[in-house]
Amino acid sequence: MIKESLLKAENANAIYHVDAGDYFIGVVKAGSTFRIVDLEGNQAADTLFYNANDPAERYSATDTIREQGNVYLTAGSEIRSNENNVMLEIVADTCGRHDTLGGACATESNTVRYDLEKRCMHACRDSWMLAIAENPEFGLSKRDISHNINFFMNVPVTEAGGLTFEDGISAPGKYVEMVAKMDIIVLISNCPQLNNPCNGYNPTPVDMLVWDK
Ligand SMILES: [Zn+2]
């Protein structure tokens, strides 16, 4: 569902630029709003969320999908935790649909899906692992890397129930915006994938804007 935000970028309290292949990790306080902007279009922002006060509570795709009765995320979606609490609510979305079924790229999946020689290519799982290794103050470890949301990524479910990675439905400047319902650790890998059309074979940067409560 397309829904535009009333917030103005010039009033944001912080703007973070995340290059393709880089990560963002930080805390968004309860009541604050943040927006991820697909600056050049057709990008995928592979995202994990944790309760900042208890990182064992984390984003759960299964709880989110079950409670809303829909596999796609968009404006109105409540993003739920493994304890079935609402972590965030998507309040604006100019892309229209976001994936949470396709998972993140890893060197292992690149090898299985594409070619043995793709194993050395940079992947989202590596960016997450680097983020938690370089930022131990968040208290996250390898076991916390779980299923994720792929903002802007187009993974339609076929009539037969199959999954396909398709060319993006996003475009330059499209964004998704959320309100945090608890203090949230946001961990984004801005996907460096070069082997499927999820980012148009051309990984590009995203911006993250935060409006404090
Ligand atoms: Zn990726």
Side-chain angles (χ1 to χ4, degrees), residues 23-193:
Y23 67 78
F24 170 87
I25 187 168
V27 172
V28 173
K29 290 284 190 185
S32 297
T33 302
F34 73 93
R35 176 189 296 176
I36 307 171
V37 185
D38 186 0
L39 293 171
E40 297 184 33
N42 269 19
Q43 185 54 20
D46 292 41
T47 304
L48 294 162
F49 295 119
Y50 306 88
N51 176 347
N53 302 306
D54 174 17
E57 183 174 19
R58 54 163 177 77
Y59 171 65
S60 166
T62 45
D63 289 271
T64 299
I65 290 169
R66 185 193 62 240
E67 293 295 324
Q68 71 170 10
N70 195 298
V71 295
Y72 302 125
L73 303 179
T74 185
S77 287
E78 291 180 327
I79 294 173
R80 290 176 179 270
S81 74
N82 55 331
E83 298 178 24
N84 203 23
N85 295 315
V86 177
M87 306 183 81
L88 308 111
E89 182 183 346
I90 300 179
V91 293
D93 179 16
T94 60
C95 177
R97 192 170 84 191
H98 306 269
D99 165 67
T100 192
L101 299 174
C105 62
T107 53
E108 292 84 353
S109 64
N110 281 345
T111 306
V112 171
R113 282 185 184 139
Y114 308 114
D115 198 293
L116 201 56
E117 69 180 22
K118 307 292 188 188
R119 185 171 179 85
C120 57
M121 291 178 77
H122 188 167
C124 283
R125 186 178 167 81
D126 294 340
S127 291
W128 288 336
M129 295 294 281
L130 184 65
I132 63 176
E134 291 185 334
N135 300 274
E137 66 275 21
F138 291 98
L140 298 171
S141 70
K142 189 176 179 180
R143 65 180 293 174
D144 297 308
I145 301 300
S146 182
H147 47 157
N148 67 298
I149 298 171
N150 295 306
F151 287 113
F152 308 113
M153 189 169 161
N154 187 24
V155 184
V157 179
T158 68
E159 241 174 74
L163 285 181
T164 53
F165 292 80
E166 298 289 345
D167 192 12
I169 54 173
S170 189
K174 298 215 177 216
Y175 61 81
V176 59
E177 191 173 290
M178 284 151 271
V179 173
K181 301 294 184 181
M182 56 176 76
D183 295 346
I184 298 283
I185 301 169
V186 178
L187 175 53
I188 299 172
S189 163
N190 192 17
C191 187
Q193 180 60 257

Side-chain angles (χ1 to χ4, degrees), residues 9-31:
E10 58 263 36
N11 296 329
N13 297 94
I15 299 180
Y16 305 93
H17 188 76
V18 190
D19 284 324
D22 204 352
Y23 67 78
F24 170 87
I25 187 168
V27 172
V28 173
K29 290 284 190 185

